[in-house]
Amino acid sequence: SMLYGYLGVSADLKTVVGLTFYEHTETPGLGALIDAPSWRRQWYGKRIWDQTGTQRLGIATGPVDPASPDAAYQVDGLPGAPWTSHGVTNLLRYWLGDHGFGPFLRKLRAR
């Protein structure tokens, strides 16, 4: 389904302070896990960009391996809901990218 939500970003524009969805019609018990407080808490402190400025924020294909270099940028995938996981990652890449708020955020980060 279409996902409508908010991404909270830290004052330094480098990390996530929260992610929430205010409207969706995801399948209860599967994709609707995007509303679960335990899953939403995983977003806090996740880095958005790597050291080269590449946007890396997203959802892993399963549980995040804490030893992985990607762990700083990912949260656990939603079990049984791969399309929702891909959808959330894609919406973040779009809105943080060149066709969304990416140019504005780069300009603010350069200050």
Side-chain angles (χ1 to χ4, degrees):
S1 73
M2 186 69 71
L3 301 166
Y4 298 92
Y6 296 106
L7 174 69
V9 179
S10 63
D12 66 3
L13 303 174
K14 294 180 181 179
T15 58
V16 174
V17 296
L19 177 69
T20 189
F21 294 95
Y22 61 88
E23 184 180 335
H24 65 82
T25 55
E26 294 298 307
T27 306
L30 296 172
L33 290 174
I34 59 175
D35 291 329
S38 60
W39 187 76
R40 290 183 20 218
R41 277 193 297 273
Q42 291 182 54
W43 290 94
Y44 185 82
K46 293 297 175 178
R47 288 192 237 152
I48 300 169
W49 292 278
D50 65 16
Q51 293 174 335
T52 68
T54 302
Q55 194 276 323
R56 301 266 311 274
L57 182 63
I59 299 177
T61 56
V64 173
D65 175 2
S68 167
D70 293 329
Y73 308 98
Q74 295 180 333
V75 301
D76 293 343
L78 296 164
W83 291 109
T84 302
S85 296
H86 292 299
V88 172
T89 296
N90 289 338
L91 79 83
L92 290 169
R93 292 198 175 141
Y94 177 84
W95 287 110
L96 294 168
D98 290 338
H99 298 290
F101 292 104
F104 174 71
L105 293 171
R106 279 194 297 275
K107 187 181 282 188
L108 287 177
R109 285 176 43 218
R111 290 182 172 188

